[in-house]
Amino acid sequence: FRSITTKDGLTSNNISGITQGDDGQMWIATGNGLNSFDGNNITNYYQGANSIFNINMSGIFTIAKDNKNNLWLSDRIGITKISLQNKTATYFSEFQDVYNFCPIENGICFITKEGIFHKNENNVRKTLNILPKYIFQNKNSDRYFKISLDKKNNFYLSSNTRVHKITTEGVEKKYFQIPKGHYVTNLYFDQHNKGWVSTWGQGLYLISPNADNLQQVLKPEHSNFITGATAEWHFGNSEYQ
């Protein structure tokens, strides 16, 4: 495995998310702008530099790619949709504090402190009523920061201490408990429908599609603070995580 850092040209080592375009290029969101990586060279995109997308954000919270090869990014004051095909960016200011994006068949869904929303290919917004009502009605309940979709179209929602498995109709199947005080930093389902749950302080967990339970696969003594769990990216003979 090879690591890439600011020494290689990244705008920051504070990585908030990674995704991959249809052409194989990696897109890396950081606390100081967006970076692309083709396996050899890194290109920086941030305010005041490389205005190909006219990005009006620097500190990026999260990033994802939808099924139409559009990038979605969020910062403190809104979200940006980047068309990799047309090299254009569209900014939406009606959403603040978007915690996480989740690509679905027709567009993208995302989670905020107000609930879960969906934008389709025509940028039409609607609310997804898939959460049990008590989650947002109970002011003392955990906030839900991450959302992911498995290969069987079940939504998984993570808070500080729980991961909920919910159908697209809003029926809660079960939940998995994370040790209290050690919040989930990312939630990702790979091509084998295995769910990877990274945490801050409690290592790495796996949601097995067969056993349907939560297993700790990397203990804190090996890696205390994992900020993200993503796929493996391949360029030639090199692998990145």
Side-chain angles (χ1 to χ4, degrees):
F1 293 96
R2 175 190 166 191
S3 298
I4 55 175
T5 68
T6 52
K7 294 180 180 179
D8 303 290
L10 287 179
T11 53
S12 172
N13 288 330
N14 181 14
I15 309 299
S16 55
I18 302 173
T19 192
Q20 191 168 31
D22 290 349
D23 60 357
Q25 188 161 239
M26 292 170 62
W27 293 90
I28 306 168
T30 77
N32 187 32
L34 180 66
N35 302 260
S36 64
F37 179 54
D38 62 6
N40 296 301
N41 301 306
I42 295 174
T43 303
N44 308 138
Y45 305 89
Y46 57 95
Q47 286 179 298
N50 204 324
S51 59
I52 184 172
F53 297 130
N54 193 27
I55 299 175
N56 188 29
M57 58 172 56
S58 55
I60 302 172
F61 287 169
T62 186
I63 185 173
K65 183 189 74 71
D66 65 20
N67 295 328
K68 298 296 182 180
N69 204 32
N70 299 304
L71 296 181
W72 292 82
L73 303 89
S74 74
D75 66 359
R76 190 173 300 279
I77 59 174
I79 61 178
T80 297
K81 174 184 176 182
I82 296 175
S83 170
L84 295 179
Q85 179 178 357
N86 300 325
K87 300 293 190 293
T88 58
T90 305
Y91 185 70
F92 305 98
S93 60
E94 69 264 36
F95 299 102
Q96 286 81 40
D97 295 325
V98 173
Y99 301 129
N100 190 222
F101 293 108
C102 177
I104 57 178
E105 185 176 355
N106 180 26
I108 195 97
C109 64
F110 47 94
I111 187 166
T112 77
K113 62 183 179 181
E114 303 298 332
I116 299 177
F117 302 94
H118 169 244
K119 272 190 177 291
N120 63 17
E121 298 172 10
N122 298 317
N123 298 325
V124 175
R125 162 192 170 180
K126 73 174 183 178
T127 303
L128 293 182
N129 296 312
I130 62 171
L131 285 179
K133 291 182 179 180
Y134 75 87
I135 288 179
F136 282 97
Q137 287 178 345
N138 183 0
K139 294 181 180 180
N140 296 321
S141 66
D142 286 339
R143 288 297 186 183
Y144 284 72
F145 300 110
K146 301 296 180 183
I147 181 171
S148 188
L149 190 69
D150 70 10
K151 304 305 179 186
K152 297 182 179 179
N153 288 326
N154 294 302
F155 280 104
Y156 286 77
L157 305 169
S158 71
S159 66
N160 286 354
T161 59
R162 290 184 178 184
V163 177
H164 288 259
K165 180 180 181 180
I166 299 174
T167 68
T168 52
E169 291 78 30
V171 178
E172 183 177 24
K173 286 190 170 182
K174 67 182 304 181
Y175 70 85
F176 309 95
Q177 188 75 41
I178 301 294
K180 191 173 182 179
H182 304 281
Y183 65 85
V184 174
T185 56
N186 211 351
L187 179 61
Y188 168 78
F189 278 85
D190 64 20
Q191 60 182 344
H192 304 294
N193 209 33
K194 293 180 179 180
W196 299 92
V197 183
S198 59
T199 70
W200 188 267
Q202 284 295 320
L204 183 68
Y205 290 82
L206 172 66
I207 299 175
S208 171
N210 298 322
D212 201 24
N213 58 17
L214 191 69
Q215 306 168 4
Q216 190 176 45
V217 294
L218 190 62
K219 295 185 177 181
E221 57 263 29
H222 295 118
S223 184
N224 283 334
F225 308 111
I226 304 175
T227 57
T230 61
E232 296 180 358
W233 315 106
H234 298 265
F235 292 104
N237 295 323
S238 300
E239 294 183 354
Y240 303 83
Q241 287 189 317

